[in-house]
Amino acid sequence: MIPNIFGLDPQVILIAIAVGMFIWLTLYKLDKTGIGDKFVNKLIVIVIISATTLIMGMVFFDCFWHAVDNNYFQKLPNTLKEYGLIDALFSDYKPDAEGPSVGFFKQGGMTFLGALYGAFFGYVISYWFIFKHERSKIIHYLNIILPGLILAHGLGRIGCFLSGCCTGIKAPFPLGFKFPYAPVPANPSASYIDPRINDVLPANLYEGIFLIGLFFILFFALKKNQTKVYMVSYGTFRFFLEFLRGDSRGAVPLLRHIPFLSWISPSQFLSFILLIVGILLFIFEDKLSNYLKKWDRPIIKKTKQASEN
């Protein structure tokens, strides 16, 4: 939508602001809980681990869906034999005129839902081992962290709007418009609607507005249930937003061969799972917390005499 600012992609600028806001809001919320510096430091470690798995999931999932769509895995044995593992993962040249890029990590770009699942995975695993004494409160602390992540995601989507990525289907002006500075997609051979030459819906702007609105609801209006409300509301919104997206969506491995389900995009598949998990939490969260209490390990404080012995 707009050119680079001081040599930086506007999306990069918004993402930097989003990360800063996420860190500030998370620390602010944790300070309000009064849990103490020791536990805050542990949660910061968990957030760092979750951020790492977020980045991994953000890249891996999108590359995986497009690799499936491009029949990458069927060609993988021959690729490994002819080019080796490094090229099979990272090379961006083509083995033949019609084949996909060789490298797995050149198949796609980045996807937020992949990042979200990566972050959830990192959070659950790291929380389980770091907060052994409060495993039953795993959702409670996620409620504290989540609003900042939602705001960061919303600002990131505004960055997408300014950069011209993650755009929608064709639509006549003024409903749609061109994004002359939109980036070339990670996989140019994939089918997508080029927003540089077509008037398209600003699907990225719709999502950004929805997420920022959701942040204000969760941060200022709700005292609990943030995780459940987010999963159900965003899962539903994102599922239907996918019908308006005009960029390449990839394919779901098992569903792509089922005629009446082949239309489901990977993001719709992951959104549906997010929705179902949210509904299940509404029904079973109390039972889950009671079950996890069995796994809480009390903190053993060493006395001075015991330490001397």
Side-chain angles (χ1 to χ4, degrees), residues 59-76 79 88-89 99-109 186-187 189-190 248-253 256-257 266:
V59 176
F60 174 81
F61 274 91
D62 196 52
C63 291
F64 175 77
W65 302 126
H66 285 91
V68 170
D69 201 27
N70 293 329
N71 298 315
Y72 170 84
F73 295 105
Q74 286 87 336
K75 299 181 179 182
L76 183 58
T79 302
L89 292 176
S101 299
V102 173
F104 174 81
F105 290 104
K106 298 294 183 177
Q107 297 293 319
N187 189 349
S189 63
S248 177
R249 314 309 296 137
V252 181
R256 66 190 299 220
H257 300 298

Side-chain angles (χ1 to χ4, degrees), residues 110-304:
M110 298 178 290
T111 174
F112 173 77
L113 280 168
L116 182 65
Y117 277 83
F120 279 157
F121 175 80
Y123 173 80
V124 170
I125 297 300
S126 58
Y127 185 95
W128 185 263
F129 288 102
I130 294 175
F131 267 66
K132 296 179 181 179
H133 64 291
E134 285 188 329
R135 285 170 173 164
S136 58
K137 291 188 176 181
I138 188 170
I139 302 297
H140 168 72
Y141 287 113
L142 187 58
N143 287 338
I144 294 173
I145 296 171
L146 198 56
L149 179 62
I150 294 170
L151 177 61
H153 184 195
L155 291 174
R157 279 300 187 223
I158 299 299
C160 288
F161 171 71
L162 296 176
S163 295
C165 65
C166 307
T167 49
I169 58 177
K170 291 181 180 180
F173 184 83
L175 294 177
F177 38 82
K178 294 181 178 64
F179 291 78
Y181 299 100
V184 177
N187 189 349
S189 63
S191 59
Y192 83 111
I193 299 173
D194 193 338
R196 296 170 298 178
I197 59 176
N198 297 288
D199 289 329
V200 296
L201 291 175
N204 37 32
L205 182 61
Y206 302 157
E207 189 172 359
I209 293 172
F210 171 83
L211 287 165
I212 293 174
L214 181 60
F215 158 75
F216 279 102
I217 293 173
L218 298 186
F219 192 80
F220 294 105
L222 290 183
K223 300 298 182 182
K224 56 181 181 178
N225 298 327
Q226 286 89 342
T227 299
K228 294 180 287 190
V229 171
Y230 167 72
M231 287 183 169
V232 172
S233 59
Y234 181 68
T236 303
F237 174 85
R238 182 61 187 269
F239 183 90
F240 289 103
L241 182 71
E242 285 295 295
F243 291 113
L244 302 181
R245 289 284 290 267
D247 50 349
S248 177
R249 314 309 296 137
V252 181
L254 296 178
L255 302 183
R256 66 190 299 220
H257 300 298
I258 304 175
F260 62 93
L261 295 177
S262 59
W263 55 270
I264 296 178
S265 73
S267 292
Q268 285 177 314
F269 179 73
L270 294 177
S271 297
F272 182 74
I273 294 176
L274 195 67
L275 169 63
I276 296 301
V277 172
I279 293 173
L280 291 176
L281 280 179
F282 267 110
I283 301 172
F284 298 111
E285 183 180 354
D286 291 339
K287 291 183 179 180
L288 176 63
S289 296
N290 290 332
Y291 172 77
L292 290 177
K293 285 181 180 179
K294 300 177 182 179
W295 294 90
D296 286 347
R297 299 293 181 260
I299 298 175
I300 301 176
K301 296 183 178 180
K302 295 182 180 180
T303 65
K304 182 177 181 181

Side-chain angles (χ1 to χ4, degrees), residues 86-98:
I86 300 300
D87 279 352
L89 292 176
F90 300 106
S91 178
D92 58 0
Y93 61 83
K94 300 179 185 301
D96 54 68
E98 299 179 356

